[in-house]
Amino acid sequence: MPDLKNIPDNVRWHYAAQCAAKLPALYEISFRDALGEKFAVLEQDIWMEIAKMVKEIAHTSSFPTGNAKEIAKAVQNATIILFGPEYGGEIMEVSDDGAVILVKRCPFLVHSDTLSSDHERAFSRCMALTLTAVPILNKDYTARFVRAMCTGDKRCEVKIEKKPPVSKKEEKTGVKK
């Protein structure tokens, strides 16, 4: 009788990663029409929750998150751990407090294509995950998408930068200028 121990780790990882990367498109195909607008809200909540796993992975793996480049690398590594090696990209440091994640291969797009899922939905998932994960990793930083393959660009560019300082008045009132 075959035993799980006889299946190499890289083969198990391959299938686990494929499953994790396909699930969002499969849920979209199955539930979007039935749930309508409620689907988008529920889906965003799920991806914001997954962002908390990014922090857990960074913490347990001792990934540093003290500056923009370290945060970018932690997000990139956690994404590979969660969704597999089909994810490919690089990190560019653009300043002391700024970095850019350049994504050239995305497992969500690969599976969106094979399952006839909507690329725009893939973008909303990634955006919810990334924009939530960055300040969870370090409250002094924020992220924004400059380009996205889901919307037709050749690659994704996610800029991570230090948040501007909050003035005393903004701190007291909670209202930005």
Side-chain angles (χ1 to χ4, degrees):
M1 173 165 253
D3 191 308
L4 187 59
K5 293 176 188 171
N6 295 333
I7 301 171
D9 286 344
N10 65 330
V11 173
R12 285 188 272 169
W13 176 343
H14 170 79
Y15 286 114
Q18 262 196 341
C19 180
K22 280 183 182 181
L23 277 175
L26 291 170
Y27 276 108
E28 176 198 338
I29 291 165
S30 299
F31 298 118
R32 185 165 194 46
D33 289 341
L35 294 174
E37 285 302 310
K38 190 172 184 175
F39 178 81
V41 173
L42 294 170
E43 184 180 46
Q44 185 170 16
D45 288 345
I46 290 167
W47 286 92
M48 290 170 71
E49 190 64 30
I50 292 171
K52 294 175 185 175
M53 291 179 70
V54 172
K55 179 171 177 129
E56 184 180 334
I57 290 167
H59 177 74
T60 58
S61 303
S62 299
F63 295 149
T65 57
N67 61 44
K69 187 175 182 181
E70 292 173 349
I71 294 165
K73 191 68 177 166
V75 168
Q76 184 181 51
N77 287 337
T79 301
I80 292 167
I81 289 168
L82 290 170
F83 304 108
E86 285 181 330
Y87 175 91
E90 60 186 88
I91 308 295
M92 288 180 34
E93 188 170 30
V94 293
S95 69
D96 289 341
D97 290 327
V100 176
I101 302 172
L102 299 173
V103 179
K104 298 175 183 175
R105 286 188 331 269
C106 175
F108 300 119
L109 288 183
V110 170
H111 297 297
S112 285
D113 287 342
T114 61
L115 297 169
S116 299
S117 175
D118 183 4
H119 280 201
E120 290 288 330
R121 298 298 322 142
F123 178 65
S124 67
R125 295 175 196 125
C126 186
M127 188 171 61
L129 174 70
T130 306
L131 299 185
T132 304
V134 168
I136 287 175
L137 289 171
N138 186 321
K139 65 180 176 44
D140 296 328
Y141 287 81
T142 187
R144 68 182 173 89
F145 279 78
V146 178
R147 289 181 177 67
M149 290 187 292
C150 304
T151 61
D153 293 318
K154 290 184 180 188
R155 65 180 183 214
C156 296
E157 293 182 25
V158 182
K159 187 172 185 180
I160 297 174
E161 56 194 354
K162 197 160 194 154
K163 290 180 183 174
V166 177
S167 72
K168 296 275 186 197
K169 183 177 181 181
E170 290 172 342
E171 204 172 90
K172 283 183 180 181
T173 63
V175 177
K176 286 189 170 189
K177 289 182 182 179

